[in-house]
Amino acid sequence: MDQHPTIDTRQTLETPEGTDLSLYPAGFWIRSLAYTLDWLLRIAVVVVAGIVLGASGMGQGLTLVIYFLMEWFYPVIFEVWRGGQTIGKKSLHIKVINDDGTPVTFAGSLIRNLLRVVDFLPGFYVTGIIASLCNRHFKRLGDLAAGTVVVYANSVAASPVLESVGSRPVPDGFNTDEQRFLLAFAQRSSTMSPARQAELAQVLAPAVAPGDPVLAIKQMANHIVGDRTQSAKGHLL
Amino acid sequence: MNLEQLRIAIRPRRDWEAVDLGLRMAQQWWWPMLRVWLIITSPWLVAACVMPPEHQWLVSLCLWWCKPLFERPLLMILSQGVFGVELTTREVLRATPRLFLNQVFLSLTWRRFSFTRSMDLPVIQLEGLHGAERRDRLNVLHRIDSGPASWLTIIGVHVESFLMLACVALLGILIPEEVGAELWTWGFWGESRTGGALLILFAYIAMAVVGPLFVACGFSLYLNRRVKLEGWDIEIAFKRMAQKRGLPTVAILAIAALLQLTPPMLPSAQAQSEREAVKEEILAIKKGPDFHRMETQRVIKSTEKKEEEIDFDKGFWRALIEFLTGAGSLAAAVAGIAELLLWALVLLGIVLLILKYGSWLERFPQLLPHRRRREYRPQTLFGMEVTKESLPDDVSSAALALWQKGEQRPALALLYRASLTSLLTVGVALREGSTELECLRLAERLQQELGIPQTSIRYFSDLTRAWRRLAYGHQAPSDAEGTALCRDWAQYWPEVTRG
């Protein structure tokens, strides 16, 4: 039944060391928010410069220079020297990187930002939005030309701590991936109703017998993370 | 239901990442969704075309107002699609009336303005909840990771208008000015029938593009919330583990429940008549303006109005410019202060530059003004101190004493150092970094000007040669020569010893 590839945003790269690196490309919704933030910021800087400097001829010239730099080099400077993040991108936890996972280079950043002109056509970045909808990694034309991609910079929120319900060893035959899901069950049980927990644990009941499967899996999770201090209490339960 | 048929990767995601999964889903089911959307909205488009121009806005408003209804069949395609069930357009259209009627009154009245519409739709359509149950369910779903739902609506509205404006702009770019269509007049867009029809068409295109994205992203947010709340990924993993171990599989599964809650299909008996209906609707669309070349070029010239507009424009811009350039006294004062500050900044910059690079400047005395060049006096040359204070009172005897002790190098060094000091004293502007030959040449050049005796220069030349041989070639002068140099020093350079 696996004739279709699974739909996901995750892109997995294999590093030279043989480990997998996961990238999560960001779509146009959050990127347009980040852009709006940056845009407001740039406008504010130019307007303030215009008010303060605008009176004299030299000041007007300077304002134009500031406007030019803001328009063309604000993103480049931030992307190259601030870890791929303009202020807007940083506040929304996204960043620009090369599509091989390395930090974005000056040339790459310059190309992707110069090509904003094209992505803007015929107005309001409509070309960029449509281009980003036409490929899997949500790249606008500038990203395609520069070989860059905008990805999430933060990780999924850390899981809450495990309950102290004692520990018991994991039975034979649970491989690493399977143990990871036993752990995930215990970590996320605080967000699930008791009925749902019982329902899920029931699926594995014969494999984790004896006793209440919910408790058994939680105790195994404690064992997996190395908390064996309460094993005596666990056995009593 | 077979979990292997799940078309999307199930795992807990960040909120915005879930929205992006929605974009991937929209890419996957783009054409089925767009097809259905175009078909069910076509009556509105047809109505807009046949209406007299003054009532066209009513049709547009109606189309916009009913958007929540048009989203429902799209959600149906997606909710079945993620479980590997590809519905045909006919199946979806057959289910559409039933989907429309579900809580239609609430959806089109005050819920029409809900910002989280896209994320809430699955609760009424897939879970079939209403009233207090629905409200409680929404409270649970909105607790976390639902921030993007409102943003979807806000950004969606903007993207929709941007798309529409972009269509207008594209038209403006593509039509040469010579055609004289007067694209940039209010008369064209606001009053002519062509302009009105074009605007409706553009709005329609924009809605058709944004609609599927909006539904898919909202649905994805909803799914992500349930994946987290109910541990779908854990369920899938546990079930695989159970299958691997040959355990009996448990039937009660939340994901299956979602599938069952979608409206059941009607039997396919009406397929033929449905096909006819669809065909008719397609033909109706084909009769519409989209499929015909519009060649009407109506030019409305209302010169009075134009002048008024221009006047308004001029007045507005002049006022703005006057305001910005500060014709008022306060603004002028602020501007004056700003200019002063600006010049102060420039001066400060120059001063900083001099402070930072001043010492560097001293290596090039010829750059200094003449007076300062005279006054300028390096403290060391070739790493040797060249101040009067560092010299012994009687240079000749001190050097001779060193020479006789056999310390030839210190002796000549003392003589050379003392000579340089003397040259500096009479005003030869030696500089740090000169070579010995440069010092000599400078002394020779300035000899006339400064009135240095010819003999002194000749002595300095001899001394320089001897010093260079000793210092770099390690060839000491003969004993007689060395002694002579030591003895003669006082004779040729009397100034220093005299103080």
Side-chain angles (χ1 to χ4, degrees), chain B residues 183-368:
Chain B
L183 279 179
W184 306 117
T185 60
W186 170 245
F188 179 76
W189 294 110
E191 288 170 4
S192 81
R193 192 177 168 90
T194 319
L198 276 179
L199 274 189
I200 289 180
L201 182 65
F202 292 161
Y204 186 74
I205 292 172
M207 283 187 213
V209 172
V210 175
L213 299 176
F214 183 68
V215 177
C217 293
F219 179 51
S220 181
L221 272 176
Y222 166 84
L223 277 183
N224 187 47
R225 198 66 191 100
R226 286 197 58 178
V227 165
K228 284 187 175 175
L229 270 177
E230 293 160 18
W232 285 16
D233 51 327
I234 296 173
E235 175 176 325
I236 292 169
F238 279 13
K239 219 185 153 198
R240 288 210 176 110
M241 290 182 213
Q243 276 171 351
K244 196 171 118 188
R245 288 166 179 75
L247 303 177
T249 46
V250 186
I252 36 158
L253 290 170
I255 305 176
L258 178 76
L259 188 64
Q260 281 154 13
L261 281 168
T262 57
M265 300 295 111
L266 294 176
S268 57
Q270 307 164 341
Q272 196 53 40
S273 63
E274 203 68 37
R275 179 186 292 247
E276 291 300 319
V278 174
K279 201 173 173 185
E280 272 172 29
E281 279 169 330
I282 291 174
L283 284 177
I285 296 179
K286 280 193 167 178
K287 279 178 192 161
D290 314 24
F291 292 90
H292 292 95
R293 257 172 59 204
M294 290 187 232
E295 293 184 20
T296 327
Q297 286 180 9
R298 192 171 299 179
V299 180
I300 295 181
K301 291 204 170 175
S302 91
T303 44
E304 276 176 40
K305 200 163 198 171
K306 251 188 208 166
E307 275 169 9
E308 259 175 38
E309 264 175 32
I310 289 166
D311 279 352
F312 165 75
D313 276 354
K314 272 188 179 167
F316 173 73
W317 286 113
R318 189 181 302 133
L320 188 70
I321 289 166
E322 275 172 9
F323 174 75
L324 287 179
T325 51
S329 59
L330 177 70
V334 170
I337 292 168
E339 188 169 5
L340 272 181
L341 283 177
L342 214 63
W343 281 112
L345 211 70
V346 172
L347 281 179
L348 189 73
I350 293 171
V351 168
L352 283 177
L353 220 73
I354 289 174
L355 283 181
K356 188 159 166 58
Y357 294 107
S359 61
W360 173 83
L361 206 62
E362 289 185 343
R363 285 174 181 265
F364 299 92
Q366 58 269 44
L367 292 179
L368 292 173

Side-chain angles (χ1 to χ4, degrees), chain A residues 21-26 30-31 34 78-79 82-99 101-104 112 137 143 148-155, chain B residues 14:
Chain A
L21 181 70
S22 289
L23 301 180
Y24 301 90
I30 187 169
R31 287 172 66 179
F78 274 92
E79 282 168 12
R82 307 300 292 177
Q85 295 180 307
T86 58
I87 294 171
K89 287 194 182 76
K90 194 177 174 71
S91 58
L92 288 163
H93 308 295
I94 55 177
K95 65 176 176 182
V96 184
I97 56 171
N98 288 331
D99 48 15
T102 53
V104 66
R112 78 182 289 280
H137 308 309
D143 287 321
T148 55
V149 62
V150 179
V151 297
Y152 289 91
N154 60 342
S155 51
Chain B
R14 309 166 186 85

